[in-house]
Amino acid sequence: MTSLRYRLDGPEGGEPLVLGPSLGTSTRVWEPQLAALTRTFRVLRFDLPGHGGSPGPRGALTIDALAEQVLEVADAAGMGGVAGAGGTTGAGNGESADGTTGAGGRVGADGTGGFHYAGVSIGGAIGATLAARHPGRVRSLAMICSSARFGEPRAWRERARLVREQGTAALLEATAGRWFAGPADRALLDDLAATDPEGYAACCDALAAYDLRGDLGDITVPTLVLAGRDDPATPPAHARELADGITGATLVEVPGAAHLANVDQPEKVTSALLAHLPSEPGMRVRREVLGDGHVNRAIAGTTGFTRDFQDFITRYAWGEIWTRPGLDRRTRSCVTLTALVARGHLDELAMHVRAALRNGLTPDEIGEVLLQTAVYCGVPAANAAFAVAQRVLSEGPGTPA
């Protein structure tokens, strides 16, 4: 029977995704992202000991011990189970989206299985520890406003002592300033006020002893590190240290966001998560063809108004057309350049000249394609196209796509 209360949402056959909360919050902290993530993911959210619906700790806590508890929860919920001689594991303290309990799931005989993981603050530290200590369990990692070491241990021990003496109500005013750059979310502050003091203090003790700086190189899964530019608790320097230490990590800084960046700027954080999580084959192809720089800028500029369109082009253009086996990418680039010249879409043409280079066309071959368009699309259109292509090619290969 697992000691953490958790919730399951999303389609039963969806890719498994575990969401870890921030200190002092509950599963509620992920509600801004839930609708978007549960479209395709089977989402598990959990409460820390003494937080939300979870019972208080059974003794001293460490981040490693919390990571082990999350593995118990994932196994109990059948998250990331693998085929094999597995059995069915009952779920304790589990609750599905409709409020029922007992969400069992099949896991391998050795308890192995993979899931994607995203966590805020201490939730991110738990995920990083899982990825470093149990590399076979975590498929991808997202750390939001998190760190490899959350400051000096003394400050955490002092906070733990304060909470044990006065309760979490003593933290409300200062916490509101750390959590939010914009208006405070009163429901989340109510969660903090309702948190068991011993549960909160034990998590502070765990953070005092946490230091993963020497183990970041052990994290080998695709990793997103996201920082709130106005975060006083884990400023962007913490995120840069994570990104520098984790091979291949993607770093995103979100303006106008404090420590709960996913609450302050829900659209930007949701877009970054959806781009990172490998549920969409179209996003992988889009990045390979257009480059991370271009795609990251497109994601950063996504709003609620444009999100559905971004989703559409990722799934349809990149996931269904560019992935078809009938033409290789070089040929598709030739066709795309021709179509863009014919329609006069010069901004898109510049982007796809860069893409053509990434797809293996040489500048001379791009010139041949544009020369062909002079015959079939018109000399004025080809003239404008040559000017655009010349500008792009003169920028050189080091120019961000």
Side-chain angles (χ1 to χ4, degrees), residues 200-221:
Y200 187 100
C203 288
C204 288
D205 290 337
L207 288 171
Y210 166 75
D211 188 345
L212 203 67
R213 290 174 294 180
D215 301 306
L216 294 178
D218 294 334
I219 300 175
T220 58
V221 296

Side-chain angles (χ1 to χ4, degrees), residues 5-7 9 19-35 37 43-48 51-54 95 120 179-180 184-195 260 262-264 266:
R5 180 257 193 181
Y6 63 89
R7 287 187 60 89
D9 299 277
L19 301 178
S22 179
L23 178 65
T25 70
S26 70
T27 56
R28 193 198 311 267
V29 74
W30 281 104
E31 287 186 357
Q33 284 69 47
L34 196 61
L37 294 176
V43 174
L44 184 153
R45 293 174 290 159
F46 65 88
D47 285 327
L48 296 165
H51 293 61
S54 288
E95 183 177 306
V120 183
W179 279 2
F180 308 109
D185 186 309
R186 299 310 309 178
L188 287 173
L189 290 174
D190 289 343
D191 281 344
L192 173 61
T195 298
L260 297 187
N262 66 307
V263 178
D264 264 340

Side-chain angles (χ1 to χ4, degrees), residues 128-321:
T129 300
L130 282 170
R133 310 275 194 261
H134 303 277
R137 299 304 304 272
V138 179
R139 299 184 193 174
S140 69
L141 173 67
M143 302 179 70
I144 298 172
C145 297
S146 194
S147 183
R149 182 173 183 263
F150 292 86
E152 293 298 324
R154 177 183 297 180
W156 288 108
R157 297 191 182 105
E158 290 176 352
R159 191 190 299 189
R161 182 168 57 251
L162 173 66
V163 169
R164 287 185 171 110
E165 293 173 354
Q166 302 182 27
T168 55
L171 304 176
L172 287 174
E173 183 176 352
T175 299
R178 284 196 303 269
W179 279 2
F180 308 109
D185 186 309
R186 299 310 309 178
L188 287 173
L189 290 174
D190 289 343
D191 281 344
L192 173 61
T195 298
D196 169 51
E198 183 55 36
Y200 187 100
C203 288
C204 288
D205 290 337
L207 288 171
Y210 166 75
D211 188 345
L212 203 67
R213 290 174 294 180
D215 301 306
L216 294 178
D218 294 334
I219 300 175
T220 58
V221 296
T223 300
L224 168 69
V225 179
L226 188 145
R229 198 164 289 169
D230 301 322
D231 181 3
T234 51
H238 287 238
R240 288 192 286 271
E241 182 177 41
L242 289 169
D244 288 343
I246 301 172
T247 302
T250 298
L251 175 62
V252 174
E253 291 188 18
V254 177
H259 195 51
L260 297 187
N262 66 307
V263 178
D264 264 340
Q265 297 291 338
E267 293 178 353
K268 293 184 183 300
V269 174
T270 300
S271 296
L273 283 171
L274 291 175
H276 165 69
L277 291 166
S279 62
E280 292 281 5
M283 181 57 73
R284 175 180 56 79
V285 176
R286 187 180 179 188
R287 287 186 176 279
E288 289 172 356
V289 174
L290 299 182
D292 287 335
H294 172 85
V295 176
N296 287 343
R297 287 192 295 274
I299 292 167
T302 299
T303 66
F305 182 68
T306 63
R307 180 179 297 137
D308 287 343
F309 176 69
Q310 288 291 323
D311 178 66
F312 166 76
I313 59 175
T314 299
R315 287 187 295 104
Y316 185 63
W318 298 105
E320 296 185 21
I321 301 302

